[in-house]
Amino acid sequence: MRKLRPLLACLALSGCHGRQVMLGAAGRDGSMFANLWLVFLIVTLVFYALVLIGLVWAILRRREGGEPATRTGLLVWVGVISVTLAGLSIASWLVDRNMNRAPFTGLTVEITGHQWWWDVRYTSADPSQTLRTSNQLHLPAGMPVRVILKSADVIHSFWIPNISGKQDLIPGRTNDIVITPEKVGLYRSQCAEYCGLEHAHMAFDVTVEPLADFEKWWAQGLLPARAPVTPLQKAGYAYVTTRECSTCHNIAGTPATGQVAPDLTHLASRLSLGAGTYPMNSGHLAAWVADPQSAKPGNKMPVIGLEPDQLNAVVSYLESLK
Amino acid sequence: MSSPCRASLLALVLLAGCDEQARDPRGHPLPETGPLLSAAMNPARPDPRAVDYYKNAFEVSQGQQLFQWMNCSGCHSNGGGGMGPALSDTKWRYGSSMADIVQTIANGRPNGMPSFSGKLTQAEMWQLAAYVRSLSQHVPQSIRSGRTEGLSVGEPSTLRDPHPPRAVTPKQDEASVE
Amino acid sequence: MAQRWPKLVLLVAVGLVVAALVAFLIIRGTGERAAEAARTPYEQPALAKTAAGAGAHPAGQWYIPAGDYASTRFSDLADINTQNVGQLKPAFTFDTGYLKGHEAAPLVVGSTMYLVTPYPNVVYALDLTKPDRPVKWSFNPHPNPKSQGIACCDVVDRGMSYDNGRLFMVTLDGQVIALDANSGAQVWRTPVADISKGETVTMAPLVAAGKVLVGDSGGELGVRGSLKALDEGSGKVVWKAYSTGPDKDVLIGPNFHPYYPSDQGKDLGVKSWPGEAWKQGGGTIWGWISYDPELHMIYYGTSNPGPWDAEDRPGDDKWTAGIFARDIDTGQARWFYQTAPHDLYDHDAINEMILLDMPVNGTMRKVLVQPGRTGFMYVIDRVTGQVLSADPYASMTAYTGVDLKTGRIQHNPAEVPQSGRVTRGICPAAPGGKDWNPSAFSPRTGLLYVPHLNLCMDHVYTGANYISGTPFLGVESKMYAGPGGYRGEMTAWDPVRRKPAWQIRENLPLWSGALATAGDVVFYGTLDGWFKAVDARSGKLLWKYRTESGIVGQPISYRGPDGRQYIAIYSGVGGWVGGLVSGGFDPRDPTAGLGIFNAVPDLAKYTGRGGRLYVFALPR
Amino acid sequence: MTELDPDLARDGPELTGVELDRRLTAAWRRQPGLIGWLSTTDHKEIGKRYIVTAFVFLALAGVLGLVMRAQLARPESGLITADRYNQIFTMHGTTMMFLFAVPVMEAMAIYVIPLMLGTRNMTFARLNAFSYWMYLFGGTMLWVAFVLNTGPDAGWFSYTPLSGPEYAPGKRVDIWAQMITFTEVSGLAAAVVMATTILKQRAPGMTLAKMPIFAWSMLVVALMIIFALPAVALDSGMLLSDRLVGTHFFNPYEGGDALLWQHLFWFFGHPEVYIIFLPATGFISELVATFSRRPVFAYPAVVVSLCATGLLAFGLWVHHMFATGLPRLGFAFYTAASLTVSIPTGVQIFCWIATIWLGRPQFRVPMLWVIGFIVTFVIGGLTGVMLASVPLDLQLHDTYFVVAHFHYVLIGGAVFPLLGAVTYWFPKATGRMMSEALGKLSFAVTFVGFHLTFFPMHITGMMGMPRRVYTYPAGMGWGTLNMISSIGAAILAFGVLLFVINIILSFRAGRVAGANPWEAAGLEWATTSPPPVYNFPHLPAVASRTPLWDEGEGLPVTTGLRVDDRELLSVTIIDAIPSVREPSPKPTIWPLLSAIAIGVTFVWSIFTPWALVFGLVPSAIALTIWFWPKNPDVPPEPEID
């Protein structure tokens, strides 16, 4: 029983708030998972208890009296296991079927995994309403969302534990998963398939918000980047949109049109930096731009070696990209 | 085999192994602010950085990725050329040394090669140069890879002639004569 | 049992004999009918005719590459005919001194022939009156050498135009130059392209109604395509019509009445693109412009959208890969038809449009006919933009047809390229059923002579990165011969009956233009350097001549000062497919040259580089 | 006593005792010196080398595990770089699975099985030696490469395309794939030797129904290896050719498929777990019987369970791939199959507990490991039940929950029984007992350290921590639990260290053990400790499953085998009726030389495909000499009635 206590503590943790926990139950699948897991947990605990009781009893029992009916016991045991497993199978199958029956209402997000960041595209029948962003996901609460998953290089896995289970992004295949976030809040997703050097730093933020807020966010996302205002920002703009940055990154409405790295159009409105490596703030932004290889060694952004005043200007401009 | 002999052999393997297989995400820069390509001016003394790139599998693979990302493949295809000259043959209009190639990438060339100075870091240019050399088997066979994850582009580089044809250094191709 | 055998055998034998007899009669009957049909097809009254008013051209002269505004490339000289063409001999040759693709058509004005070479776009004026045809003058515009590196498919020049004592030429780096035809002196020079953005100019400018019309090249480099009209006298830009972007940039106004609803709406040049993709959206104009003086309208096609990777640009990508009709004075669009909405394969619409008047379903219609890169022969009402018919003339797997109700091309879902998985067997390949090399039309036969391709490809999207002045493609592709194993084909197409009259298979892709003459001879050249003359009615090969290099030029015919009929053609391999030889590329890489070199890895066996004008005439 | 006929060539009533020992020793001993040492075909020597080598790999991989725990003790720790960490976790997994777990089980069997079956050596003794050399070379190559910074870094599962030619530049993954080739050759060789030995070389009278359960488990395992390993051999071969000569097996662009790798890998990979686990259940059955002083309860049920597990193991592999987007309908089948496999395991656990119940348990050190096994393994089994469910697996997959699960299964389910088995058979191999006190201490420390390390991982997994991350951000709530795990890992390592110390001390100064110190029932205890080079003076014959308990000292023997040459007795497969006297090959250096030639070919072929052509020549020469018939004129032995 010693081992049960932490297990129960774990169960208790499900009540705690975590941005990346399985028992967060913030989505349709997440809730079903929590319930099914509880069923499995109780059943397995009962069986574990039975085994331990049997073992302790076998060790401690006094060795007198006749042969107990062990043969019958074996048959009963096999019967009990079989029936229980059949029950668990059916329960699991029912939940699985239920998860797959999520209604689909039309919001489709296309996510492409890259080493080591996420390219996110909100599709629309009207191509000009297509929204492209990176390393973040905004979802309307209560609406099933179809997520189309592709990979540009190796296998990654899409997983927002609070909301739903995993689905792999496999090169040459297009997978999809329907997720239904239910609780408004901030969550975190992390790549769940080993994808190379910086697998540990391949996360993104998930914001579940009311539909109205979501639509507002989408509309804002379609706007081009803010124009620089202060002289410092203008100097940063000049650097970012003409030099190394622009070769890889896109900032809508500017000459920075690179397509091989995360979109920076509304960078400063995101919650984190470097695919969940740093929280977003000016200090981290400066640290990241100055030396992206220090916090996330091996990522594809090179060390440019900016002079201090250039760095100031660049960070000042990037910070203004709300 | 005597034990000192064995030890030295091991050390040799060790050195070779480290060079070719190491992965340094920062590249092998002399200081980024240092003089650009000083060695390119002096062909007698090759740039000390060169060997760190073209004899390193990781750097070549990074160069390969940049070759796609920076649209080099748009002109030079997978070495066969198209808008730009072929890189997989034996003709080198502007020199075949690592420093020459970096110079070409950095400053461009008059017949259409654009300049990437200010668009790429020096380390990236060296990685690209290493990959460009690999297109004509100018890097050790052991660090080339059999294929890319993509459309098959013919004979795998690992099987091409391990003895590369000797490079022809700056000789004006008649096509480039105006 | 044994006794029944002979009976059985007899029965079977008799049955077989009867069956064979019946079959023989049936086949013979069909054969006779077919032969009959082949003998008398063109005696019908309803022939297609050159559009009234657009077919005029000065007798025995050649002012613009297409010969006339209707783009027929028809010469009314008949001295050389099917009987005597076999005696053609070279009259003279001229070496240009450059070894890239010679795609231009020579011009003949009076007693002077004007030639333009590929980059560096040198112009020569040859005096035809003297026996050794000396150079009267030459002009070197000195274009920026950097432009060589951003020209997608060899540094070609497709010709000049002559009007009113002046020659109008373009340079690879995007300058339009007017020259005095007598002296070769520069009259004006206007830059219309920015090579730092990837813009070049390779097309032949068209002079009409006092304007020099010139577009741009660079659909492979994320150029935002546009057509410019320059004042013939001053070189000032009169109007400029973009192929993407808001209506005011595209010169779409109240007179714009596209036939199909999918082309109606405000600012479709922005709304049919994601985000700001239209700014690098391609739609360049590097092909041919036709002009109908009666309707006062010009017709031209726009090129592929950028990038080639269609997954990067969801939407219809207006106004790329389509045909515009515009008012020549104001540039205002009149109608538009998109041959390939959301183009998947680089199937531009820049090919030549031949203006014809012909019966369609019993009534005469003013039409334009375009052998499209999509592989369809489009017959479009040139007044309204309605597609009257679209029939495949080349091997086709990519499309299943064109819906004449909506005008939309129908894709074969199995051949839609994607990222991460190679889609195989796409026909036609990226250069299309036919590339730029123009067809000819003979009003005598009512047939269109289409030199075209039989190529298919494997294609995969890889995602594109936009860096100004570098390629913007995002594909890898590999081309090869289509069904049948041959790579080029000369088709004589009957636009009225909507089917080929005859076809000639060519081993190598056909990259030269065609010429039809009143002597009922059709001329064209092949990549292995053969210049061929065939019977316009039957396709029978009448004569051929081996030139020094592959032919990618446009043949013309003129009457010399000595009164004889001449045929002129450039020989000098190059262009997209011929670039393999002229650029010295490496065909071991199957993706080289955007994948086209894989279709002609043997080209160097047939031809070396060259750059020579050949002029043929009958012996005296 | 009359003079013995010096030409008497067969053992029998006249030829016993010292003279028999002299003659048999002369026939079976190997040459002295280095060459002799390298040439040996004695299963005991090979088995001991195998065991020691496997434990060396265990220690190395364990150290890597400690390094990983040190790195993960704190969030955003900069102790080792991402690149190093990825190499380390790959090496840890690869070494543990391919170089420790499977080989050590084979190794124990190579040592014990012939003794258990009452035979003088294994069939194909030279192949057995060859198997060891290939294993040694493969493991050495991997570790030398790792030291040279060429350690594989694509995970022990090496999913394509991460392990493919584009995303794994250099020779790192080639080393991994070629190491697989080495272990495949070695594993298949050992499996063939094992299966044939068990089927054909049992003591007369030891019918299949009287065979020790450990032999049963090894028979099932050997057959599983023969069916499972070719899948991964094919897989790694295709990977190598993709990388080296540009084939497109795993290139989706050209019609290959990244998932093909996973299917083939897990078709091997899941049975692999049972290949490790089933021998451990065999150990447990032996230990439980000995220390409960009665035969295992419901022998037929246990044997059927073993076979059922072996069969079912091949029907589960897709449960590693629930998140790959395969058709969901089929998943229900794999869930059911995965759950079904816990029935035979449940049966075995019931039987062991029932054996304890019915017996008179003695709590010696091996028995403690058995109890530790049951307490620990059952947790791993039950979390496995959770992982079999598709909806649960889609969350739990690739998190630390899974890390916890399989360490409970593999350490609790295989290493604990192994350590128990080593303690149990140590006196047989060395003639000395292991220290009981130190053994109890090491058990206690290991047990506590293990649970402290791995139990918290269930929770870190539930809290969303993915596997194979070299670091994790602060503020995720994972810090404390990871710190506990790291402390636990140190304790666990200390426990294992105590075990090793116990072995070393006991080897030198342990209490001298007799032939049967545990008073066990198996034939291996019928000979001296350590056994003579020829194992048994006369081959024993048996009539029950517990011969030593039933027959005591009067174990019947079989006679008539040659004493002047190596000869084995073959029996019929089911009833163990003697059928043929078979010569056993003499020691020779050629298995080693063949292994060297083939090993060089393998290593060389990482660099060029031509190696396969050129390397074929020395390999063929070495193998030809090895196989050359030495006595072609000796007629085959007549059948025995």
Side-chain angles (χ1 to χ4, degrees), chain C residues 353-617:
Chain C
M353 277 159 269
I354 296 107
L355 309 187
L356 302 178
D357 294 339
M358 66 178 221
V360 176
N361 300 330
T363 50
M364 288 300 280
R365 302 284 289 259
K366 290 172 177 297
V367 303
L368 64 80
V369 180
Q370 185 194 45
R373 265 171 85 151
T374 52
F376 288 105
M377 184 70 70
Y378 294 97
V379 177
I380 298 175
D381 184 319
R382 68 177 186 273
V383 182
T384 62
Q386 181 192 3
V387 178
L388 301 174
S389 66
D391 305 295
Y393 66 93
S395 331
M396 187 174 292
T397 60
Y399 307 108
T400 55
V402 175
D403 182 347
L404 296 181
K405 279 208 186 70
T406 61
R408 266 188 112 77
I409 200 162
Q410 306 294 308
H411 287 280
N412 172 3
E415 298 291 354
V416 172
Q418 49 187 323
S419 55
R421 228 166 238 275
V422 177
T423 304
R424 296 175 193 283
I426 299 170
C427 313
K434 179 181 126 348
D435 206 282
W436 71 279
N437 44 323
S439 322
F441 172 78
S442 167
R444 289 173 50 86
T445 60
L447 298 178
L448 195 61
Y449 303 98
V450 191
H452 66 101
L453 308 169
N454 182 34
L455 296 180
C456 300
M457 67 175 175
D458 298 346
H459 211 56
V460 67
Y461 292 154
T462 58
N465 187 20
Y466 182 77
I467 303 171
S468 182
T470 68
F472 189 43
L473 294 162
V475 302
E476 298 228 300
S477 128
K478 228 190 251 190
M479 301 178 204
Y480 40 83
Y486 57 99
R487 291 167 280 187
E489 192 167 34
M490 181 72 182
T491 296
W493 182 267
D494 185 335
V496 177
R497 296 174 156 216
R498 298 165 54 187
K499 62 178 194 189
W502 48 260
Q503 288 174 308
I504 302 168
R505 292 177 175 184
E506 292 284 354
N507 174 28
L508 291 166
L510 275 189
W511 211 258
S512 92
L515 169 75
T517 72
D520 282 349
V521 184
V522 173
F523 294 93
Y524 68 95
T526 61
L527 277 183
D528 45 4
W530 288 102
F531 188 50
K532 297 185 177 178
V534 298
D535 186 322
R537 296 185 188 271
S538 67
K540 191 180 158 224
L541 180 65
L542 302 172
W543 170 82
K544 62 178 184 173
Y545 181 86
R546 178 79 181 243
T547 62
E548 68 155 355
S549 174
I551 296 176
V552 298
Q554 308 163 40
I556 66 155
S557 179
Y558 66 95
R559 192 178 293 286
D562 57 357
R564 292 198 296 157
Q565 182 187 356
Y566 291 88
I567 310 286
I569 180 72
Y570 256 154
S571 162
V573 78
W576 186 2
V577 64
L580 174 60
V581 169
S582 67
F585 299 120
D586 187 349
R588 287 177 302 171
D589 171 7
T591 62
L594 303 170
I596 203 169
F597 299 160
N598 190 56
V600 288
D602 51 347
L603 188 57
K605 284 202 293 195
Y606 298 108
T607 177
R609 296 166 172 187
R612 181 179 291 176
L613 173 81
Y614 283 80
V615 180
F616 300 93

Side-chain angles (χ1 to χ4, degrees), chain D residues 246-296:
Chain D
T247 53
H248 295 277
F249 291 112
F250 305 118
N251 180 5
Y253 287 78
E254 287 289 355
D257 199 326
L259 281 189
L260 174 63
W261 170 270
Q262 296 188 23
H263 279 295
L264 285 172
F265 186 82
W266 290 119
F267 186 79
F268 145 83
H270 200 84
E272 160 99 337
V273 176
Y274 293 96
I275 288 170
I276 295 166
F277 173 63
L278 288 186
T281 64
F283 295 149
I284 295 293
S285 294
E286 295 299 322
L287 299 184
V288 162
T290 300
F291 295 101
S292 299
R293 322 299 315 151
R294 59 153 287 150
V296 168

Side-chain angles (χ1 to χ4, degrees), chain C residues 55-64 67-68 76-77 108-110 162 557-558:
Chain C
H57 82 271
Q61 308 267 293
W62 208 269
Y63 282 10
I64 57 174
D68 54 36
D76 45 16
L77 301 178
V108 175
V109 178
Y162 170 84
S557 179
Y558 66 95

Side-chain angles (χ1 to χ4, degrees), chain A residues 2-4 6-7 9-10 13 19-23 30 33 36-37 40-41 44-45 47-48 51-52 54-55 57-59 61 63 67-68 70-71 73-74 77-78 81-82 85 88-89 92-93 95-96 99-100 115 152-155 157 159-168 170-173 175 188 190-201 276-277 295-297, chain D residues 76 82-83 86 89 153-155 157 159-162 167 252 257-259 262 294 297-298 301 322-326 328 332 335-336 339-340 342-343 346-347 349-351 353-354 356-361 363 371 374-376 378-379 382 385-386 389-399 401 408 447 451 455 459 461-471 473 476 478:
Chain A
R2 189 178 62 77
K3 260 141 258 103
L4 295 187
L7 210 63
C10 170
L13 274 170
R19 299 212 293 132
Q20 185 176 328
V21 294
M22 290 184 197
L23 296 172
F33 164 80
L36 184 65
W37 189 73
F40 269 69
L41 181 68
T44 49
L45 280 179
F47 273 86
Y48 190 56
V51 170
L52 284 195
L55 182 64
W57 197 0
I59 290 169
R61 83 179 186 106
R63 312 276 151 185
E67 289 272 301
T70 25
R71 232 160 252 286
L74 179 58
W77 174 248
V78 170
I81 298 181
S82 306
L85 291 177
L88 291 180
S89 292
S92 163
W93 180 68
V95 170
D96 191 40
M99 281 181 173
N100 285 319
Q115 278 182 328
D153 36 50
V154 302
I155 299 176
S157 193
W159 178 44
I160 313 173
N162 295 58
I163 295 174
S164 163
K166 295 177 188 68
Q167 193 69 248
D168 289 352
I170 300 172
R173 282 172 183 259
N175 280 342
R188 190 172 185 273
Q190 192 166 0
C191 176
E193 183 59 78
Y194 175 63
C195 56
L197 210 53
E198 277 301 330
H199 167 57
H201 285 129
T277 306
K296 192 171 172 179
Chain D
E76 298 291 359
D83 184 33
N86 294 342
F89 90 72
D153 59 353
F157 43 91
Y159 276 6
T160 55
L162 183 65
Y167 298 104
D257 199 326
L259 281 189
Q262 296 188 23
R294 59 153 287 150
F297 168 74
F322 281 156
T324 54
L326 295 175
R328 203 125 175 182
T335 297
L339 292 176
T340 311
S342 49
I343 296 175
V347 167
I349 288 178
F350 185 92
C351 293
I353 291 178
I356 298 174
W357 175 301
L358 297 172
R360 295 179 308 281
F363 295 99
I371 292 165
I374 293 177
V375 170
T376 310
V378 172
I379 293 181
L382 292 172
V385 168
M386 292 182 182
S389 156
V390 178
L392 297 190
D393 182 73
L394 288 178
Q395 280 281 13
L396 300 169
H397 178 66
D398 271 350
T399 66
F401 190 90
Y408 267 79
F447 186 80
H451 285 277
F455 196 83
I459 307 168
M462 294 296 291
M463 289 173 75
M465 181 163 167
R467 288 170 79 177
R468 299 156 188 158
V469 290
Y470 76 92
T471 188
M476 299 299 294
W478 305 335

Side-chain angles (χ1 to χ4, degrees), chain D residues 484-529:
Chain D
I484 294 172
S485 285
S486 296
I487 293 168
I491 296 171
L492 173 59
F494 182 63
V496 177
L497 187 67
L498 283 177
F499 189 89
V500 173
I501 290 171
N502 190 1
I503 284 188
I504 294 168
L505 292 182
S506 307
F507 184 73
R508 296 188 159 195
R511 189 163 57 78
V512 174
N516 189 1
W518 308 107
E519 291 167 15
L523 280 185
E524 74 268 31
W525 306 106
T527 185
T528 54
S529 304

Side-chain angles (χ1 to χ4, degrees), chain A residues 101-182:
Chain A
R101 279 203 184 153
F104 171 55
T105 54
L107 177 60
T108 303
V109 187
E110 209 178 290
I111 296 185
T112 308
H114 295 258
Q115 278 182 328
W116 293 270
W117 60 282
W118 308 86
D119 189 8
V120 180
R121 215 180 286 215
Y122 288 78
T123 61
S124 161
D126 176 357
S128 61
Q129 296 298 302
T130 308
L131 173 63
R132 195 167 170 204
T133 180
S134 311
N135 298 334
Q136 65 167 346
L137 202 54
H138 279 245
L139 298 171
M143 184 191 282
V145 181
R146 184 157 172 256
V147 186
I148 295 177
L149 301 165
K150 295 176 173 182
S151 167
D153 36 50
V154 302
I155 299 176
H156 305 279
S157 193
F158 170 83
W159 178 44
I160 313 173
N162 295 58
I163 295 174
S164 163
K166 295 177 188 68
Q167 193 69 248
D168 289 352
L169 299 82
I170 300 172
R173 282 172 183 259
T174 304
N175 280 342
D176 72 322
I177 181 172
V178 175
I179 59 174
T180 314
E182 280 166 343

